[in-house]
Amino acid sequence: MDETKFTPKIVGFLCNWCTYAAADLAGSSKTEISPLFSVIRVMCSSRIDHNLLLTTFFNGADGILIAGCHPGDCHYDKGNYYARRRYALLKNVMDTLKLEPERLELSWVSASEGKRYADVVNEFSKKIEQLGPNPIKKSSVF
Amino acid sequence: MNKVIKIENGTKQGVLNFLEHLITTDKISGVLTLRKINEKGICDYGFISDAKELKFADPFAPVMPINAAQTLSSLTPTTKPIAAIIKPCELRGFVERVKRVQGSMKNVLLISYTCGGVLPLNTFQGDGSEKIIADYYNAISKGETPGSIRPTCKACEYFVPMMADITIPLLGNSESESECSLIMNSEFAIQISKEFQCEIITSELDSKIIDKVLAVRISEKEKLYNKTKVTKDGLDELVNIFGKCVGCHGCSRVCPICYCVMCDFESHNFDYNIEIFETELEQKGALRLPPDTVFFQIGRLAHMSFSCVGCGQCEDVCPANIPVATIFKKVGEATAGLFDYIPGKDLEEAIPVMIFKEEEFEEIGK
């Protein structure tokens, strides 16, 4: 493999009910999707806590995408509202500490939005490719 | 304007007279207060139930051996009323704990005062502390900021107690040697002190003094924030600062907000087994030990910084002299600001991560 070319590693935490289904739909509709994504299926976007996200970053992920049902459409009624607050909170901490908050992203993608899923993933992958590798990845001081 | 009890005595003695009355008339079963434990002036928090023991009480000592919020929550809920004289930040910490169902405000007579800050533990107990403490009292009676107090105290804007039943004007009170005023903020305070023989007037805190101190504190805060580079230089500076961390987790042990018996960071969730070490080494070629010290700090910031009351206890106990409190205060101000939240201000105000509004952050996820 060409060492000089940066191939980002991106982790997507997808809600089981909406975005994971959207990813399925995108796949079965043969939509072209960035191959840099490792998908982790969670039962709800609110399942994701800060330590899970930080562990992912500290283990070398270049970017993290959280995706779930649109506000008002949560399978568990209101999980995504909590997820949104938590996301805003961590983003704020990363922003204050100047820790490249743009590596963390949240998006609402419903089960029928296969095309939107592909767009979100491709766009985010492009952004991370431009950002370059996560500085934590190669550093041994953490 | 509030009802104010006037006592013809110095502030400290007046408060002790008042407490003695409450204890001897069986209005309260005891009081949580700072007290001297020996002639050297070493202080601890004590719960005093016998009026005779009040002679050791030193409720306004400029020291925080522990954040009293922790102790007070272990004393509650109580069936018989108790009193507690604590600092404004300790009171706010207690309110935050009550929100987390780690204590109860019921039957607790919360007495607090306009706070001039506390000295670091080592300064308070160290050589030459007598002069430093005398200078401290001298400075606060004039409403000045003593140079020897904790950095976060110098930068503290919340020196006026919130949610106190009784507020005592101490900061900038030049009369504190000769008179004592107890400002009654709640019906509970008025009822419990009904039989106390004293002069009652209506008055309130001197807003001129409050505004003057507030202006100084805000400018000190800016200075403190400018000094810490951690919020400017990103990861490199974070490593620079937290690289000294010995991983003792003392900062979370003394924190009034961190109440979890089993802290996630001390659980086996983040244990390193040999496979993880090997994977890490394969990727990086070297590894920091103990691992995850920066992770711990960022994790804690995300987990509870919005409730940080800025008491400075974490910074004081840090064996590596990391300015933990300053960083938590600054990050906490931003995270709490995100939800217009002021920790410990109001019991009715829910913890930000426990609630949501449907119409907020609408730009997120579009």
Side-chain angles (χ1 to χ4, degrees):
Chain A
M1 201 176 101
D2 183 7
E3 282 251 338
T4 51
K5 185 158 173 6
F6 166 55
T7 320
K9 200 175 263 182
I10 302 170
V11 177
F13 288 98
L14 310 186
C15 134
N16 175 58
W17 303 100
C18 286
T19 317
Y20 197 80
D24 254 357
L25 179 62
S28 50
S29 331
K30 298 194 189 295
T31 318
E32 207 167 299
I33 302 175
S34 160
L36 313 167
F37 248 62
S38 308
V39 170
I40 297 176
R41 175 161 66 158
V42 289
M43 289 311 283
C44 178
S45 49
S46 64
R47 159 68 184 85
I48 303 150
D49 63 46
H50 293 144
N51 287 352
L52 199 59
L53 299 174
L54 289 170
T55 314
T56 313
F57 275 130
F58 276 88
N59 284 342
D62 297 300
I64 299 178
L65 177 78
I66 305 165
C69 314
H70 286 271
D73 292 346
C74 178
H75 185 77
Y76 305 101
D77 197 17
K78 50 196 177 185
N80 49 5
Y81 290 118
Y82 289 109
R84 186 168 65 181
R85 276 214 160 194
R86 246 179 261 163
Y87 163 81
L89 190 65
L90 185 59
K91 194 102 168 157
N92 184 284
V93 172
M94 291 175 79
D95 193 29
T96 314
L97 297 176
K98 304 279 178 291
L99 290 181
E100 306 185 350
E102 48 280 21
R103 291 187 186 277
L104 179 66
E105 187 70 64
L106 182 146
S107 217
W108 308 127
V109 182
S110 81
S112 60
E113 294 176 318
K115 172 78 173 61
R116 175 171 156 81
Y117 175 77
D119 290 347
V120 166
V121 166
N122 292 338
E123 209 174 294
F124 187 58
S125 305
K126 217 156 117 200
K127 194 162 112 184
I128 297 299
E129 255 177 281
Q130 282 165 0
L131 262 177
N134 175 2
I136 297 174
K137 202 184 214 163
K138 290 281 170 203
S139 169
S140 64
V141 291
F142 295 99
Chain B
M1 285 292 193
N2 290 37
K3 258 194 179 170
V4 176
I5 290 185
K6 273 267 187 218
I7 307 167
E8 292 294 320
N9 225 329
T11 299
K12 182 181 160 189
Q13 200 48 49
V15 172
L16 295 183
N17 291 354
F18 177 68
L19 290 170
E20 190 184 351
H21 161 79
L22 294 182
I23 291 176
T24 49
T25 55
D26 219 20
K27 294 279 185 306
I28 56 171
S29 59
V31 56
L32 176 73
T33 174
L34 280 169
R35 55 173 194 168
K36 284 204 168 71
I37 51 173
N38 61 15
E39 305 79 50
K40 283 182 186 161
I42 306 285
C43 274
D44 73 353
Y45 264 106
F47 185 71
I48 297 176
S49 62
D50 185 341
K52 275 185 244 152
E53 288 282 322
L54 278 175
K55 61 174 184 265
F56 299 110
D58 191 4
F60 308 120
V63 65
M64 193 183 286
I66 51 155
N67 187 305
Q70 290 180 326
T71 317
L72 193 53
S73 61
S74 69
L75 289 170
T76 64
T78 160
T79 45
K80 231 191 129 187
I82 60 167
I85 305 193
I86 53 179
K87 295 176 176 42
C89 57
E90 293 175 316
L91 178 48
R92 290 169 63 218
F94 180 59
V95 172
E96 284 297 304
R97 283 178 87 95
V98 173
K99 286 183 193 175
R100 289 161 171 80
V101 207
Q102 299 302 307
S104 162
M105 308 277 279
K106 202 172 165 240
N107 281 337
V108 186
L109 181 70
L110 292 160
I111 307 172
S112 193
Y113 47 93
T114 49
C115 177
V118 300
L119 306 173
L121 288 166
N122 284 339
T123 313
F124 185 80
Q125 297 175 354
D127 296 333
S129 64
E130 274 168 25
K131 184 176 180 305
I132 297 173
I133 294 170
D135 288 347
Y136 169 90
Y137 283 122
N138 191 19
I140 66 158
S141 70
K142 291 187 226 151
E144 289 166 5
T145 304
S148 47
I149 57 175
R150 284 179 179 169
T152 36
C153 289
K154 281 185 199 166
C156 172
E157 309 148 84
Y158 301 112
F159 53 91
V160 177
M162 307 170 185
M163 301 228 44
D165 293 302
I166 299 177
T167 304
I168 304 165
L170 198 70
L171 190 55
N173 183 357
S174 52
E175 309 293 319
S176 62
E177 287 298 315
S178 56
E179 60 167 53
C180 172
S181 328
L182 309 179
I183 305 174
M184 306 277 142
N185 303 320
S186 70
E187 193 51 35
F188 180 44
I190 293 170
Q191 285 305 322
I192 211 163
S193 56
K194 234 175 15 193
E195 290 167 25
F196 188 59
Q197 300 292 328
C198 59
E199 185 194 345
I200 292 176
I201 56 165
T202 52
S203 177
E204 59 189 359
L205 285 173
D206 187 343
S207 61
K208 252 191 251 158
I209 296 170
I210 306 294
D211 292 345
K212 184 186 133 195
V213 177
L214 187 62
V216 175
R217 296 279 178 98
I218 288 174
S219 84
E220 285 288 338
K221 188 177 81 178
E222 294 309 317
K223 269 190 236 165
L224 185 70
Y225 285 176
N226 283 334
K227 246 192 333 197
T228 165
K229 287 194 278 177
V230 72
T231 49
K232 293 190 200 104
D233 298 347
L235 207 57
D236 289 345
E237 189 55 27
L238 210 63
V239 169
N240 207 5
I241 288 191
F242 289 125
K244 291 191 283 179
C245 176
V246 297
C248 70
H249 294 190
C251 42
S252 81
R253 296 277 165 82
V254 299
C255 178
I257 310 302
C258 279
Y259 70 88
C260 299
V261 177
M262 188 72 235
C263 174
D264 203 16
F265 298 105
E266 285 168 30
S267 70
H268 293 303
N269 289 352
F270 306 110
D271 273 358
Y272 272 51
N273 57 31
I274 191 69
E275 285 88 6
I276 298 180
F277 276 127
E278 280 172 357
T279 318
E280 289 257 311
L281 287 172
E282 213 171 285
Q283 282 178 5
K284 299 177 175 178
L287 195 64
R288 173 186 155 80
L289 291 169
D292 287 349
T293 47
V294 178
F295 166 67
F296 165 70
Q297 298 291 356
I298 304 178
R300 218 163 82 79
L301 279 168
H303 189 57
M304 50 60 65
S305 64
F306 47 82
S307 280
C308 173
V309 294
C311 66
Q313 193 74 347
C314 47
E315 191 166 316
D316 212 346
V317 302
C318 180
N321 292 324
I322 298 169
V324 199
T326 310
I327 296 164
F328 270 70
K329 191 174 158 68
K330 174 148 192 192
V331 174
E333 211 173 79
T335 48
L338 200 57
F339 309 105
D340 292 325
Y341 185 71
I342 296 176
K345 187 186 172 205
D346 185 356
L347 194 61
E348 302 303 317
E349 218 176 353
I351 305 164
V353 286
M354 300 298 283
I355 52 158
F356 64 84
K357 287 182 198 139
E358 286 185 16
E359 297 82 24
E360 63 175 3
F361 304 118
E362 279 171 336
E363 70 293 350
I364 288 177
K366 289 277 176 209

